[in-house]
């Protein structure tokens, strides 16, 4: 069963209304056209689809279940359901598009997958896919993040990937993107830049969305089977927007389903640099090869952004989200760092599930809806598990939740 909306957008040039497109140097233009053509072939090819379906089932462990969070529901007065992407192999939804990108690269005869990573989650998922499919893998990572996210660096190395430090500027995510981009420009033929969300030039926002749409396709069937109908509300956190598009796509034409995206309000929405609420406070602009809402500083450059969740820390957003915001189909609201951490402990202690801090933004948003009087059902995407976050949370917030320093 395919959703018709999925095929209606983007147009042949990669536009979702006025957003998306491809704003890249001429050397990369022909490569993107090649990737788009190869993808078009793959998505129609039964052998490609069968192989991806096999990996989703037997490697990732799909379908991921839906869990009715009864304790949370009883306390907050709405019927809250979790789509358990945290149970996937490697612990989040990212493996869904990494496997798709790796199979596509293999099919195109590429030798190497390259990407940037911030906290290391995309790097680990891509290194995993590269190991499985039999491709080399270079992951670019800021030197500061390499220090901070040591366990993920070790994982990538064990999986056989090279981790290449970005040593200029602030030595974090943006510099990692610069370095990966530079390396890609040098050799766009034997390598492929496997983008980590529904962002970047066409065809990546479409392709990553299609690979992730398995989330919503499964959820729709599962929810119908469990309850006999559709959920009243969907909720997902929005960084670049891939887990959100993954859940939303199957439901876009179901007008009775209200759809909500939760952006990070960080420490304050009133101070530039203290949040990453792109759709809430941004304006249309172009960065990283595509047009979308973005947070600009006074010179029109991407703002410094902050979120307690490093996976949500991005000054732009997937172009389809910009389209859906303007079309009024999806409501975008915000969740602060503190609200996310509160939801992190609430889900851990009421349901026995430790969520990623990114996913905790979706949990917090669902709780807000309930507090505002929503009595119907809320299906939220639990995009990942919190193992990666436990040391950070205990160090910075432990004593507020009755945990003394463990070290
Ligand atoms: C990377 C990440 C996100 C944010 O990315 P999207 O493209 O917005 O989905 C959200 N949750 C988890 C667990 C992640 O690892």
């Amino acid at each position: 069963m395919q959703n018709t909306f999925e095929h209606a957008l983007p147009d042949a040039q990669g536009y979702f209304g006025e957003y998306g497109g491809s704003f890249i140097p001429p050397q990369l233009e022909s490569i993107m056209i090649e990737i788009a053509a190869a993808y078009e072939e793959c998505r129609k090819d039964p052998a490609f689809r069968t192989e991806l379906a096999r990996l989703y089932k037997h490697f990732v462990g799909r379908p991921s279940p839906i869990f009715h969070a009864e304790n949370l529901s009883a306390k907050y007065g709405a019927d809250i359901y979790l789509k358990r992407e945290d149970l996937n192999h490697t612990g989040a939804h990212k493996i869904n598009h990494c496997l798709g990108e790796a199979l596509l690269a293999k099919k195109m005869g590429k030798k190497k997958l390259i990407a940037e990573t911030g906290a290391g989650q995309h790097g680990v998922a891509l290194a995993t896919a590269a190991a499985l499919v039999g491709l080399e893998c270079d992951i670019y990572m800021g030197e500061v993040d390499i220090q901070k996210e040591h366990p993920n660096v070790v994982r990538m190395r064990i999986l056989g990937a090279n981790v290449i430090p970005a040593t200029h500027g602030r030595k974090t995510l943006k510099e990692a993107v610069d370095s990966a981009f530079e390396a890609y420009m040098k050799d766009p033929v034997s390598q492929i830049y496997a983008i980590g969300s529904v962002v970047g030039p066409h065809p990546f926002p479409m392709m990553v969305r299609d690979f992730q749409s398995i989330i919503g396709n499964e959820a729709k069937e599962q929810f119908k089977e469990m309850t006999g109908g559709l959920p009243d509300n969907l909720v997902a956190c929005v960084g670049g927007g891939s887990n959100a598009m993954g859940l939303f796509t199957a439901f876009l034409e179901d007008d009775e389903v209200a759809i909500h995206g939760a952006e990070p309000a960080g420490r304050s929405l009133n101070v530039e640099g203290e949040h990453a609420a792109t759709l809430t406070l941004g304006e249309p602009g172009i960065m990283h090869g595509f047009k979308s809402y973005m947070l600009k500083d006074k010179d029109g450059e991407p703002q410094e952004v902050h979120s307690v969740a490093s996976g949500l820390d991005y000054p732009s957003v997937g172009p389809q989200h910009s389209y859906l915001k303007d079309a009024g189909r999806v409501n975008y609201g915000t969740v602060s760092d503190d609200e996310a951490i509160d939801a992190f402990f609430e889900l851990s202690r009421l349901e026995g599930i430790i969520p990623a801090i990114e996913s905790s933004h979706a949990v917090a948003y669902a709780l807000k809806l309930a507090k505002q009087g929503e009595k119907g059902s809320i299906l939220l995407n639990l995009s990942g598990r919190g193992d990666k976050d436990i040391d950070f949370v205990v160090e910075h917030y432990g004593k507020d939740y009755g945990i003394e320093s463990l070290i």
Side-chain angles (χ1 to χ4, degrees):
M1 185 192 59
Q2 284 297 324
N3 190 293
T4 48
F5 208 101
E6 189 181 314
H7 294 282
L9 287 171
D11 68 16
Q13 276 69 49
Y15 280 92
F16 304 87
E18 64 169 296
Y19 303 107
S22 184
F23 299 84
I24 50 177
Q27 306 95 293
L28 291 184
E29 200 65 62
S30 59
I31 293 285
M32 287 301 148
I33 291 169
E34 228 173 81
I35 294 172
Y39 172 62
E40 208 44 53
E41 252 176 53
C42 284
R43 86 164 167 186
K44 287 190 229 129
D45 176 7
F48 182 91
R49 297 172 73 105
T50 304
E51 177 61 358
L52 191 56
R54 182 183 77 86
L55 295 180
Y56 281 164
K57 182 168 180 200
H58 298 288
F59 186 72
V60 178
R62 307 204 68 90
S64 64
I66 285 183
F67 179 66
H68 186 195
E70 292 183 3
N71 301 328
L72 211 56
S73 301
K75 178 166 173 185
Y76 288 89
D79 247 329
I80 300 173
Y81 295 82
L82 314 173
K83 177 63 171 163
R84 300 288 311 274
E85 292 298 295
D86 61 312
L87 292 177
N88 292 343
H89 179 46
T90 67
H93 69 288
K94 287 192 172 76
I95 193 70
N96 299 330
H97 66 249
C98 287
L99 285 173
E101 289 174 327
L103 286 185
L104 176 74
K106 185 91 174 171
K107 185 119 190 196
M108 291 180 77
K110 306 286 181 188
K111 301 244 170 328
K112 191 187 275 184
L113 294 168
I114 68 170
E116 84 290 345
T117 195
Q121 294 305 108
H122 178 53
V124 169
L126 195 66
T128 299
L132 177 75
V133 170
L135 293 165
E136 294 169 41
C137 185
D138 285 354
I139 301 295
Y140 293 82
M141 192 167 181
E143 214 167 38
V144 168
D145 290 334
I146 289 179
Q147 300 288 333
K148 217 165 116 188
E149 308 292 346
H150 191 67
N152 275 341
V153 175
V154 175
R155 279 187 193 101
M156 288 184 263
R157 299 297 308 279
I158 290 174
L159 290 161
N162 302 308
V163 179
I164 301 169
T167 55
H168 64 290
R170 296 175 75 228
K171 304 176 189 171
T172 62
L173 182 61
K174 186 191 162 291
E175 289 75 24
V177 175
D178 297 342
S179 301
F181 204 70
E182 209 174 288
Y184 191 41
M185 294 278 282
K186 279 191 195 136
D187 175 13
V189 175
S190 73
Q191 322 184 88
I192 190 165
Y193 192 156
I195 294 177
S197 188
V198 286
V199 300
H202 181 64
F204 282 92
M206 168 181 80
M207 206 162 75
V208 171
R209 173 202 64 194
D210 291 353
F211 291 139
Q212 289 294 351
S213 64
I214 180 99
I215 299 173
N217 290 340
E218 283 176 6
K220 198 168 182 175
E221 293 301 310
Q222 291 167 317
F223 200 86
K224 271 188 195 155
E225 201 171 291
M226 279 176 97
T227 71
L230 294 177
D232 298 313
N233 298 275
L234 299 179
V235 177
C237 65
V238 179
S242 65
N243 88 87
M245 282 317 309
L247 177 66
F248 298 169
T249 297
F251 297 90
L252 288 173
E253 294 187 338
D254 300 312
D255 293 334
E256 67 272 40
V257 180
I259 308 184
H260 310 269
E263 293 198 298
R267 287 185 283 252
S268 170
L269 282 175
N270 300 319
V271 183
E272 186 178 311
E274 292 292 306
H275 64 82
T278 307
L279 289 158
T280 306
L281 293 174
E283 54 185 307
I286 294 166
M287 65 176 271
H288 292 162
F290 66 104
K291 182 175 177 192
S292 196
Y293 274 77
M294 76 181 256
L295 291 167
K296 296 178 193 173
D297 67 16
K298 58 182 181 347
D299 302 321
E301 295 298 313
Q303 274 180 24
E304 301 285 334
V305 284
H306 161 82
S307 168
V308 67
S310 41
L312 303 181
D313 206 345
Y314 187 60
S316 184
V317 66
Q320 194 168 3
H321 285 290
S322 295
Y323 173 81
L324 291 168
K325 174 191 161 79
D326 288 2
R329 179 64 188 100
V330 179
N331 312 311
Y332 294 91
T334 61
V335 167
S336 70
D337 285 358
D338 288 348
E339 290 169 326
I341 295 296
D342 226 32
F344 174 94
F345 279 102
E346 200 66 353
L347 191 69
S348 297
R349 292 177 176 184
L350 280 172
E351 300 289 354
I353 298 170
I354 303 176
I357 307 180
E358 289 80 6
S359 322
S360 302
H361 284 70
V363 177
Y365 198 90
L367 300 185
K368 272 195 195 189
L369 287 178
K371 286 181 203 160
Q372 287 161 11
E374 174 62 48
K375 296 273 176 276
S377 57
I378 303 174
L379 172 60
L380 75 87
N381 201 18
L382 203 68
S383 54
R385 67 175 86 121
D387 303 28
K388 67 187 178 62
D389 299 316
I390 56 177
D391 291 339
F392 173 86
V393 168
V394 167
E395 186 185 334
H396 292 86
Y397 300 92
K399 64 174 171 355
D400 301 339
Y401 294 87
I403 309 170
E404 294 309 317
S405 169
L406 302 176
I407 313 142

